Amino acid sequence: MTDPLVGEMSPAEAESVYFNEYPPPKALPKHEALARAFINLHVEENRRVVLVTSGGTTVPLEAQTVRFIDNFSAGTRGATSAELFLEQGYAVIFLHRQYSLLPYSRHYSHSTNCFLDFMDEAPPSSESSSSGSDNGPIMVRDEYQDQMRSVLRKYRYAKQNNRLLLLPFTTVSEYMFELRSLAQLMRPLGANALFYLAAAVSDFFIPRSRMAEHKIQSSELPAHLQNTNDATVDSDEIYTGENEEEPSNRKKLVVNLDPVPKFLHRLVDGWAPEGSMVVSFKLETDPSLLVYKARTALQRYSHHLVIGNLLSTRKWEVVFITPDAPYERWLRVPKSRRSKSISGVEDQVGLAEAKKGNTAPAEQVERDGVLDGSHDGIEIESLIIPELIKLHDKMVEKKGQSA
């Protein structure tokens, strides 16, 4: 269980305790060098830089990890948003779960078609035929030419102009190390820095000091092979056959998880540049809790915007919760332009909205010219990013007037 003294620690002390639990990620020095050069370039050009976090974090159960706890996030919102920020002139640091969706390539890696279905082999040229080769050049199929050309041009522009930096993480501790380091490196940006925290960060973890070193065994071992140093669970929490009609020698595993310290307030007050904008997300499944939990997060962590969304309607609607009027503002894709969703529940659209008298009317915005990742509807991110940039514009302008 969590040390009761942790609750009495200052935020800085809690930060020190958590980060001392784990060694820094091996890739951290390399990522810091890449990020420093990237940030310095855009500071010189007076360009805005957004740190987009994306995908889920794992919670390892063993130090030499075989098993881990994960969540459903594939990184769709983060990857889509990164593309839209790039289109609006921002440089993007994309801190993502390794192997989750990436900007631009998501259009093909997240397709119902295999990537190879987009390609074909052309007939051999006369030159290759004369040389005895029957291999034709690989080409994109005619029906996908325009779509792939558009995505390819955007991707190449971002890479060739050094507007996109991809940095991966896997575990929740790696994410925390990376977030802290990048936020501190972004300090020279001042108000030109934006934090768009779309990653699905684990709420619970196993402290390194309590983690098993080796794979947790699912059956009894002879006494001489048992490792007494692995203390992930107490002996009385591993039991066999207690509640089974037929006794078994298979173990049942009970794991105590500690809450991950909430460093979002430290991001605002300790790590991030002065005057920067911090945007976080709140995902819920219960419509009656969404607005309350988003408001609570806004007040607790002093962020400038919390974007709330329901699991069942997240592709069609979001709510902006802000410290200033109108406080609660809904954005919705019009019903005629909503993408198809296997997990979506149309009947739940609007259920989480507060009483109409206490909120601005929901905006159902028709917007064309966005990258078509869903192929049959508007992506909700194409509504989120322009409205978010308007809020960032105001913060930058206000900071400039007070300077």
Side-chain angles (χ1 to χ4, degrees):
M1 299 297 291
T2 305
D3 189 331
L5 294 178
V6 171
E8 303 173 8
M9 293 180 181
S10 68
E13 290 171 334
E15 175 186 341
S16 178
V17 169
Y18 178 84
F19 285 100
N20 285 334
E21 275 277 349
Y22 296 93
K26 292 180 179 178
L28 187 61
K30 177 183 177 182
H31 290 180
E32 288 176 335
L34 291 170
R36 185 178 291 107
F38 185 86
I39 292 164
N40 288 342
L41 170 67
H42 296 296
V43 168
E44 292 176 4
E45 297 181 355
N46 195 31
R47 181 172 292 108
R48 296 184 189 180
V49 177
V50 56
L51 172 61
V52 176
T53 69
S54 184
T57 60
T58 68
V59 178
L61 299 186
E62 305 109 343
Q64 297 188 51
T65 307
V66 174
R67 302 179 182 89
F68 55 84
I69 300 170
D70 204 355
N71 62 45
F72 78 98
S73 177
T76 305
R77 176 146 292 164
T80 307
S81 299
E83 292 176 11
L84 294 163
F85 276 118
L86 288 162
E87 288 189 356
Q88 295 296 319
Y90 282 67
V92 175
I93 301 174
F94 191 66
L95 181 62
H96 64 283
R97 164 74 175 276
Q98 190 173 35
Y99 307 125
S100 65
L101 295 180
L102 297 176
Y104 304 113
S105 66
R106 73 181 177 94
H107 295 270
Y108 306 101
S109 62
H110 202 44
S111 170
T112 53
N113 295 330
C114 170
F115 177 71
L116 296 176
D117 290 334
F118 293 92
M119 297 186 291
D120 212 340
E121 183 176 6
S125 65
S126 56
E127 292 180 2
S128 60
S129 297
S130 61
S131 64
S133 172
D134 60 353
N135 295 327
I138 301 299
M139 59 179 289
V140 176
R141 294 174 64 92
D142 289 343
E143 60 266 39
Y144 301 116
Q145 287 277 344
D146 291 343
Q147 178 189 359
M148 188 170 285
R149 182 184 296 110
S150 174
V151 174
L152 180 61
R153 284 176 177 174
K154 291 181 172 76
Y155 171 73
R156 284 189 168 174
Y157 179 85
K159 293 295 289 183
Q160 290 171 358
N161 290 276
N162 206 13
R163 299 287 180 87
L164 177 62
L165 177 63
L166 305 176
L167 300 176
F169 66 83
T170 301
T171 69
V172 63
S173 63
E174 289 173 352
Y175 171 83
M176 291 298 183
F177 271 99
E178 297 276 359
L179 178 62
R180 181 177 69 165
S181 177
L182 291 170
Q184 293 169 345
L185 288 171
M186 291 172 70
R187 285 175 181 170
L189 288 161
N192 277 344
L194 172 61
F195 294 83
Y196 184 83
L197 307 178
V201 182
S202 304
D203 291 317
F204 301 95
F205 79 118
I206 299 176
R208 182 66 178 82
S209 57
R210 292 209 332 261
M211 192 181 296
E213 177 65 26
H214 298 287
K215 175 188 173 185
I216 300 170
Q217 298 300 313
S218 59
S219 58
E220 293 292 343
L221 293 174
H224 70 283
L225 291 178
Q226 292 180 12
N227 187 346
T228 57
N229 294 324
D230 281 353
T232 306
V233 291
D234 296 332
S235 59
D236 60 351
E237 291 179 324
I238 302 177
Y239 55 94
T240 55
E242 266 187 33
N243 300 318
E244 298 176 359
E245 293 181 4
E246 296 294 330
S248 167
N249 64 347
R250 297 183 63 187
K251 289 183 179 179
K252 294 182 179 180
L253 180 65
V254 180
V255 181
N256 283 325
L257 301 173
D258 287 0
V260 174
K262 298 297 185 182
F263 291 127
L264 294 180
H265 205 292
R266 285 291 292 158
L267 175 64
V268 176
D269 290 341
W271 305 346
E274 182 180 353
S276 61
M277 183 176 186
V278 179
V279 179
S280 60
F281 283 79
K282 174 59 68 172
L283 176 75
E284 293 293 336
T285 59
D286 185 342
S288 67
L289 294 179
L290 178 63
V291 171
Y292 168 77
K293 294 295 289 289
R295 284 176 177 163
T296 301
L298 184 78
Q299 296 164 0
R300 180 176 297 167
Y301 306 124
S302 301
H303 290 180
H304 305 98
L305 170 65
V306 173
I307 301 177
N309 53 161
L310 280 179
L311 179 65
S312 58
T313 62
R314 69 189 186 282
K315 295 183 182 297
W316 306 319
E317 67 173 359
V318 298
V319 59
F320 278 22
I321 301 296
T322 56
D324 303 313
Y327 308 112
E328 176 187 336
R329 180 183 173 203
W330 287 85
L331 294 176
R332 291 196 180 99
V333 175
K335 190 170 184 178
S336 63
R337 302 295 302 276
R338 289 176 191 165
S339 60
K340 296 176 183 178
S341 174
I342 296 175
S343 60
V345 182
E346 278 276 358
D347 291 346
Q348 290 202 343
V349 172
L351 283 186
E353 190 171 349
K355 293 181 180 180
K356 305 297 182 183
N358 299 328
T359 179
E363 299 176 51
Q364 302 197 59
V365 186
E366 294 280 355
R367 183 166 287 131
D368 297 318
V370 300
L371 280 169
D372 187 7
S374 57
H375 305 297
D376 57 355
I378 288 179
E379 294 171 308
I380 184 68
E381 292 79 14
S382 71
L383 310 185
I384 294 172
I385 301 306
E387 298 306 313
L388 171 55
I389 290 175
K390 290 178 185 177
L391 296 176
H392 194 204
D393 287 342
K394 292 179 181 178
M395 285 192 63
V396 172
E397 182 181 356
K398 184 177 180 180
K399 184 67 176 178
Q401 291 174 349
S402 63

